[in-house]
Amino acid sequence: MSYIDAQIGLILDELDRLGLSENTIVVILGDHGWHLGEHGFWGKHNLMNHATRAPLIVRVPHCRGGKAKGIVEFVDIYPTLCELCGVPMPKDQLQGKSFVPILQDSGKKTKQYAFIQWKGGYNIVSERYSSAIWLKGDSVVGRMVFDRQSDVAENENKVGSVSLSEEIKELETQIRIKKLQLEK
């Protein structure tokens, strides 16, 4: 990490030295995580938070820096760059949504959920919850729900929690809506 951090610093310093910082957008993204035994996984292919999160750093001239909490997906990068560069976005061809409002104000949000799918499993992540279902046809064959506020490590599956039944129902509804949108 310290090596890549130093390399990024060199690039940003060079942009400053060449006078290019004021008209250059820098986007740094990385691959998603890797489990090293957490939850019994050795690898990166599952729907747990540790395996699905990925770094995204964006430096835009005239935007304040800071850590944003808004939900962003990699499909949002292209529409964001189009907006920042004044390039028209292709109509009806993009699944992403520009996150320029987040770059301008780190407290803003542009979407409620991130959607992840892998091997018959579908996961929707909100600011607070992560909910995954596995389907066989229209039937749910597996579920997991985690409260990311109280259980960052995702150790307690809340799928049977009566107090979260409405949230769980809403998250599953959002998964099904997104799945249908992608099948069109």
Side-chain angles (χ1 to χ4, degrees):
M1 293 303 295
S2 59
Y3 177 77
I4 193 66
D5 184 53
Q7 300 312 302
I8 293 167
L10 290 173
I11 290 169
L12 297 177
D13 288 347
E14 189 65 8
L15 287 171
D16 288 342
R17 189 185 72 72
L18 294 171
L20 298 173
S21 292
E22 293 304 310
N23 65 357
T24 303
I25 299 167
V26 178
V27 178
I28 301 165
L29 59 111
D31 199 6
H32 57 96
W34 186 277
H35 281 276
L36 299 174
E38 300 89 353
H39 304 288
F41 293 117
W42 186 267
K44 61 191 313 168
H45 301 292
N46 61 67
L47 294 176
M48 306 295 285
N49 187 48
H50 191 74
T52 58
R53 289 183 54 121
L56 175 63
I57 301 168
V58 181
R59 180 182 179 212
V60 179
H62 314 294
C63 282
R64 281 185 299 149
K67 182 177 180 179
K69 295 194 184 258
I71 294 173
V72 173
E73 300 171 282
F74 284 169
V75 295
D76 301 326
I77 295 171
Y78 182 76
T80 301
L81 291 174
C82 285
E83 183 176 341
L84 289 169
C85 296
V87 174
M89 286 183 241
K91 296 236 186 264
D92 302 322
Q93 294 181 29
L94 303 178
Q95 294 175 11
K97 182 175 183 180
S98 171
F99 57 88
V100 168
I102 294 172
L103 295 172
Q104 294 169 338
D105 179 351
S106 63
K108 295 253 174 139
K109 294 175 176 57
T110 57
K111 55 174 52 174
Q112 287 185 284
Y113 308 103
F115 183 76
I116 304 142
Q117 68 182 83
W118 185 75
K119 288 228 177 181
Y122 303 89
N123 187 10
I124 200 150
V125 179
S126 70
E127 191 173 313
R128 180 158 184 186
Y129 298 103
S130 175
S131 176
I133 59 173
W134 286 262
L135 299 170
K136 189 168 192 168
D138 281 340
S139 299
V140 176
V141 295
R143 282 186 170 95
M144 61 183 187
V145 176
F146 298 102
D147 182 336
R148 295 162 18 112
Q149 243 175 21
S150 65
D151 181 20
V152 177
E154 296 183 331
N155 289 315
E156 187 181 348
N157 188 350
K158 299 277 194 178
V159 77
S161 172
V162 176
S163 65
L164 295 179
S165 62
E166 288 302 312
E167 287 89 346
I168 292 169
K169 184 178 176 182
E170 172 62 19
L171 291 166
E172 187 171 315
T173 298
Q174 293 302 319
I175 289 172
R176 290 182 182 275
I177 289 169
K178 185 65 175 180
K179 183 179 178 296
L180 285 172
Q181 288 171 346
L182 293 174
E183 290 171 351
K184 288 183 180 179

